[in-house]
Amino acid sequence: MKIYFLPKDKVKLLVESVLDEFQVFGAKAKEMKFEFGKIDTAAELRLDYNTTILPPVKTFFPNDEKILEFKPNGQTTSVHENSKKVLFGVHPCDIHAIEMMDNIFSTPPEDKHYLERRKDSIIIGINCNTPCSDKILCYDKGTYKADSGFDLMFWDNGESYLVEVVTSLGNFLASKFSYFFNFFTEYSGDFHEFKSEYHKRQDFVFEKKLTRKISELPEAMRQSYESELWHEVGAKCLSCGSCNIVCPTCYCFDVKDVVDIDLAGGHRCRNWDSCQNLDFACVGSGENFREKSSQRNRHRVFKKEVYLPQNKGYSGCVGCGRCNTACIAGISLIDIYNNVFSEEV
Amino acid sequence: MEADFIKMETGYVPVEAKITKITQPTEYEKVFTLDFPHKEHLKFLPCQFVMVSIFGFGEAPISICSSPDDEEFQLCVRKVGSLTNKMHSLKVGDFIGIRGPYGNGFPVEVLEGKDLLFTAGGLGLAPLRSLIRYVLQNREKFGDFTLLYGARSPHDRLFADEISEWETSEFVDFHETVDIGEENWMGNVGLITSLFPMIGIDPEKTIGVIVGPPIMYQFVVREMLKKEITDKNIFMSLERRMRCGLGKCGHCQMNGVYVCQEGPVFNYVDVQAIQEAI
Ligand SMILES: Cc1cc2nc3c(=O)[nH]c(=O)nc-3n(C[C@H](O)[C@H](O)[C@H](O)COP(=O)(O)OP(=O)(O)OC[C@H]3O[C@@H](n4cnc5c(N)ncnc54)[C@H](O)[C@@H]3O)c2cc1C
Ligand code: SF4
Ligand code: SF4
Ligand code: FES
């Protein structure tokens, strides 16, 4: 592991050089908010953003993704995208989400479409000095910091960043731009101490939102299966699906065919889908296995806090708060979790 | 039987299969016989399914209705929507895309040496036919074999020719009923549960298997339990919406279980732990 100093006023230069060789994805301003997308100029990239409307992980799992191509000659081929990408400035919660999605899509049968996009990508993380909103659960979840899942990590150090290089890909990038990194000097202080000071400052400004420990959530949630709570949530929910679409750990999809105008060829693509849609679990005979909004809302939350912990050993929510912000009906996971905690005896 | 079905490394890419025969047992169902470029594409277990694909019309999961020991590979398709309507318009010689087989299939070894009680409702006879034919083809491995079938009306009966054979066969005790009778229908009229009083089984030795529309399971399970078949000796194949067959798209999930991966065949003991199952 190497630690470099990077004066903040030199970041732009670094981004410019990276842009010369890689596709760069990062946060950029969009009206009053930020979006995560392809960066064309160094000036566009923002490292001081709060949160992005759509999460970074969607770079590897885009909506409307072409998966098959049908050629006019009748041939069908699998479509893969594997350009070298740098995701520049990913927050810890979103790093956790990428790690989770890596696991989901590499669980057999592997999903080559995600894995190819992901394969050569370099993740540059950036730690959060302050909470990005009051809708987040990252402090409860422990996802406000990340120990893995990134190649480089930026730590705010006042006038400079400390850049932590942890993986061989991170090393590759640092050596590729060695004239940069060596130009700025290596950090000579005690990095462990720096980190613990940094986290101590976070402890002052981040707050817990839940009334109980997150480790108690799966069991409390399990107990709530028949709770009245789901009917209350279901009655408010408009089944718009926004909560799923903005979520960095939602990966359900639908598959659709698109026929070219000449009708000769076309492609099959997958679209983000939402388990809140009425017909999500509807079969050909007309039977709908989650007909009620209360059932669908419970499924969304249970998938994250009961089924994934049970099947995979991790929660399917990194606490980024995007769903809570996106919901026009005012439904919030913070309220749901606290209700579940208060109900359990 | 070993589960030596092929692993599809190709993700979403289908294999081209040629339609070599089409029969139409009812107004809404057709049976397609398919020919594959390679023989290993024909390896599967009873109650497994494939994703059928026609470019421009999407994909749908369809059970294999022939037996692994059959020469022919067959699918029985009810027209309900985009893909299945298009399929019904195809002719012999046309090609369709197939990927799979998917799902766990039926654990045929648990049936060996046992008496069998199969119950099929409606289109459920299609996936079950694979297992029925397999049992009849390997008859010496199994004990008494009772088969119950319920269709909506005499018009909706599938595989009528085979039913005639089963009716007179000494190898299977076959009973059928229709929900709604017709003038020329001489057989039973009533729900499939009405067939249970007619049969005698040895609950110690019997394995029950149920495939049918969602509404049927609770009622048939109750009848089987009344006959004192134990929970662990009841198996069922469940249907869910499926978009990928690869354990990713989420549509087939019942609680934490992906039907396309862990199913579609489930033991009743496991089913009872899954609230959304039946
Ligand atoms: C394991 C398994 C095995 C199966 N085996 C067989 C089999 O052997 N034979 C067989 O015929 N079928 C079988 N099925 C069922 C078959 O997969 C479905 O009927 C499938 O939907 C047919 O696809 P389609 O494209 O023709 O229909 P779709 O176009 O998907 O339409 C199916 C139905 O859903 C409705 N629908 C579609 N989209 C929507 C929407 N957005 N909102 C509301 N309703 C909508 C349609 O009106 C229609 O009634 C099986 C299913 C599973 C899971
Ligand atoms: S469920 Fe909500 S808070 Fe949790 S990861 Fe998804 S969008 Fe973020
Ligand atoms: S964003 Fe809110 S209203 Fe929309 S589906 Fe999700 S919970 Fe329901
Ligand atoms: S069909 Fe997509 S997850 Fe099972």
Side-chain angles (χ1 to χ4, degrees):
Chain A
M1 184 175 73
K2 275 195 167 164
I3 317 292
Y4 295 96
F5 257 124
L6 181 62
K8 281 187 178 167
D9 59 1
K10 295 292 186 292
V11 170
K12 215 173 132 200
L13 277 177
L14 174 65
V15 176
E16 266 164 12
S17 327
V18 176
L19 266 170
D20 285 343
E21 303 227 9
F22 295 90
Q23 287 193 45
V24 176
F25 293 80
K28 49 189 181 180
K30 189 187 184 185
E31 285 150 28
M32 301 298 283
K33 295 177 178 165
F34 293 94
E35 65 175 356
F36 200 90
K38 194 156 175 299
I39 300 293
D40 296 316
T41 63
E44 243 182 340
L45 181 74
R46 294 280 293 270
L47 293 180
D48 61 341
Y49 69 100
N50 48 15
T51 182
T52 52
I53 303 165
L54 293 178
V57 69
K58 305 281 187 193
T59 314
F60 310 126
F61 180 58
N63 192 25
D64 229 353
E65 178 183 24
K66 236 188 227 193
I67 54 172
L68 289 186
E69 208 159 67
F70 302 96
K71 305 257 168 61
N73 65 7
Q75 229 189 0
T76 304
T77 48
S78 200
V79 182
H80 299 278
E81 194 274 348
N82 58 3
S83 63
K84 286 194 162 54
K85 299 175 211 49
V86 172
L87 272 60
F88 209 126
V90 183
H91 286 164
C93 64
D94 283 323
I95 289 174
H96 282 278
I98 293 171
E99 277 198 301
M100 180 197 137
M101 295 282 252
D102 287 353
N103 179 277
I104 294 289
F105 285 110
S106 58
T107 300
E110 283 183 354
D111 187 277
K112 292 271 182 342
H113 303 277
Y114 176 96
L115 295 177
E116 284 290 310
R117 281 178 199 275
R118 173 73 177 90
K119 196 175 67 184
D120 291 324
S121 299
I122 296 173
I123 311 272
I124 303 181
I126 182 159
N127 273 306
C128 301
N129 294 346
T130 54
C132 59
S133 85
D134 58 356
K135 310 261 196 209
I136 56 173
L137 281 147
C138 60
Y139 198 56
D140 295 85
K141 294 233 160 205
T143 48
Y144 68 106
K145 52 183 177 183
D147 298 323
S148 60
F150 52 87
D151 302 291
L152 295 142
M153 178 63 92
F154 278 39
W155 298 76
D156 197 322
N157 185 34
E159 296 296 299
S160 65
Y161 288 112
L162 292 192
V163 182
E164 182 188 5
V165 182
V166 283
T167 63
S168 51
L169 266 180
N171 252 320
F172 161 77
L173 195 81
S175 55
K176 197 161 185 65
F177 302 102
S178 56
Y179 53 96
F180 251 103
F181 284 96
N182 292 337
F183 179 68
F184 312 118
T185 47
E186 271 184 52
Y187 181 62
S188 56
D190 182 340
F191 186 58
H192 282 290
E193 187 149 333
F194 171 87
K195 270 166 92 169
S196 85
E197 287 302 318
Y198 185 92
H199 290 314
K200 263 186 217 155
R201 284 196 301 279
Q202 285 182 312
D203 290 334
F204 273 113
V205 285
F206 281 76
E207 350 164 56
K208 286 209 156 63
K209 302 287 171 49
L210 301 183
T211 53
R212 280 165 56 186
K213 282 211 300 283
I214 198 73
S215 58
E216 296 172 29
L217 186 61
E219 187 46 38
M221 192 59 78
R222 218 187 315 269
Q223 304 278 337
S224 80
Y225 194 81
E226 303 289 353
S227 166
E228 190 54 36
L229 167 71
W230 304 113
H231 296 280
E232 290 162 21
V233 175
K236 279 206 264 175
C237 173
L238 309 166
S239 303
C240 69
S242 305
C243 49
N244 297 117
I245 298 309
V246 298
C247 177
T249 55
C250 274
Y251 55 93
C252 289
F253 57 84
D254 198 9
V255 179
K256 285 215 169 68
D257 288 357
V258 178
V259 183
D260 290 344
I261 276 177
D262 62 8
L263 302 180
H267 61 270
R268 182 162 287 164
C269 63
R270 57 179 175 195
N271 302 86
W272 300 337
D273 205 347
S274 159
C275 61
Q276 302 307 294
N277 286 341
L278 178 60
D279 68 348
F280 187 84
C282 191
V283 292
S285 57
E287 187 84 10
N288 188 343
F289 294 98
R290 278 188 291 275
E291 195 173 9
K292 296 192 189 118
S293 172
S294 55
Q295 297 168 324
R296 296 194 297 277
N297 273 279
R298 179 177 62 196
H299 184 73
R300 170 170 85 98
V301 180
F302 266 61
K303 177 148 181 179
K304 294 182 180 304
E305 303 296 9
V306 179
Y307 309 145
L308 278 164
Q310 192 174 288
N311 295 342
K312 297 288 213 163
Y314 50 72
S315 161
C317 166
V318 296
C320 72
R322 287 185 178 92
C323 58
N324 303 338
T325 307
C327 182
I328 43 175
I331 294 168
S332 159
L333 283 185
I334 299 172
D335 298 339
I336 291 178
Y337 293 173
N338 280 334
N339 270 317
V340 162
F341 277 144
S342 68
E343 267 181 11
E344 201 208 10
V345 276
Chain B
M1 191 201 297
E2 62 199 291
D4 65 344
F5 50 89
I6 36 163
K7 292 267 172 294
M8 298 291 283
E9 296 295 341
T10 45
Y12 291 90
V13 182
V15 172
E16 292 278 295
K18 188 175 172 179
I19 301 173
T20 58
K21 194 166 83 186
I22 302 175
T23 57
Q24 180 155 17
T26 76
E27 191 182 346
Y28 297 103
E29 278 107 5
K30 283 189 179 180
V31 178
F32 298 84
T33 305
L34 303 179
D35 198 16
F36 288 90
H38 301 294
K39 283 279 171 260
E40 73 264 23
H41 293 138
L42 298 168
K43 288 183 185 162
F44 61 91
L45 295 170
C47 297
Q48 279 196 300
F49 63 94
V50 290
M51 291 299 280
V52 177
S53 154
I54 301 172
F55 165 56
F57 300 87
E59 283 190 303
I62 302 290
S63 309
I64 304 161
C65 72
S66 49
S67 155
D69 289 358
D70 280 338
E71 284 296 312
E72 293 182 321
F73 181 101
Q74 292 178 317
L75 306 175
C76 174
V77 178
R78 173 179 290 177
K79 66 173 176 187
V80 296
S82 167
L83 185 275
T84 50
N85 270 294
K86 177 62 189 173
M87 209 166 157
H88 271 239
S89 76
L90 298 181
K91 308 249 168 336
V92 168
D94 287 343
F95 286 86
I96 58 172
I98 299 282
R99 58 185 178 92
Y102 295 121
N104 55 357
F106 204 93
V108 284
E109 59 288 348
V110 308
L111 301 180
E112 287 175 14
K114 302 283 186 175
D115 290 352
L116 312 176
L117 171 58
F118 288 5
T119 315
L123 190 53
L125 186 59
L128 200 54
R129 177 176 175 259
S130 176
L131 190 59
I132 295 167
R133 292 181 64 84
Y134 178 80
V135 168
L136 292 173
Q137 284 157 343
N138 298 272
R139 193 63 189 84
E140 69 290 351
K141 292 186 187 164
F142 311 97
D144 292 347
F145 181 20
T146 309
L147 172 57
L148 311 180
Y149 172 49
R152 210 164 9 167
S153 77
H155 273 99
D156 296 306
R157 292 163 75 239
L158 294 167
F159 307 109
D161 294 349
E162 271 167 280
I163 287 180
S164 308
E165 285 173 29
W166 298 338
E167 268 172 338
T168 54
S169 167
E170 57 182 301
F171 299 111
V172 52
D173 181 22
F174 177 79
H175 301 268
E176 70 171 321
T177 180
V178 294
D179 296 353
I180 311 153
E182 266 165 22
E183 219 171 299
N184 296 326
W185 175 250
M186 310 298 284
N188 299 307
V189 177
L191 299 177
I192 193 154
T193 45
S194 66
L195 295 175
F196 277 80
M198 299 177 194
I199 58 165
I201 56 148
D202 177 355
E204 296 291 313
K205 284 167 62 188
T206 303
I207 304 273
V209 179
I210 313 170
V211 193
I215 177 92
M216 199 182 94
Y217 291 91
Q218 291 283 11
F219 294 105
V220 173
V221 164
R222 205 175 299 159
E223 294 299 326
M224 288 193 174
L225 295 175
K226 262 199 251 169
K227 293 263 176 209
E228 296 183 345
I229 302 177
T230 50
D231 295 2
K232 70 171 181 15
N233 287 334
I234 301 175
F235 291 84
M236 51 192 69
S237 178
L238 302 177
E239 181 185 349
R240 285 298 182 278
R241 192 183 184 98
M242 292 183 181
R243 306 308 283 148
C244 70
L246 301 166
K248 303 287 185 279
C249 78
H251 285 273
C252 71
Q253 227 181 332
M254 17 182 228
N255 299 99
V257 175
Y258 285 90
V259 177
C260 71
Q261 301 296 298
E262 293 175 54
V265 180
F266 292 92
N267 184 273
Y268 181 52
V269 174
D270 300 322
V271 162
Q272 288 172 83
I274 308 168
Q275 295 99 324
E276 289 180 340
I278 61 171

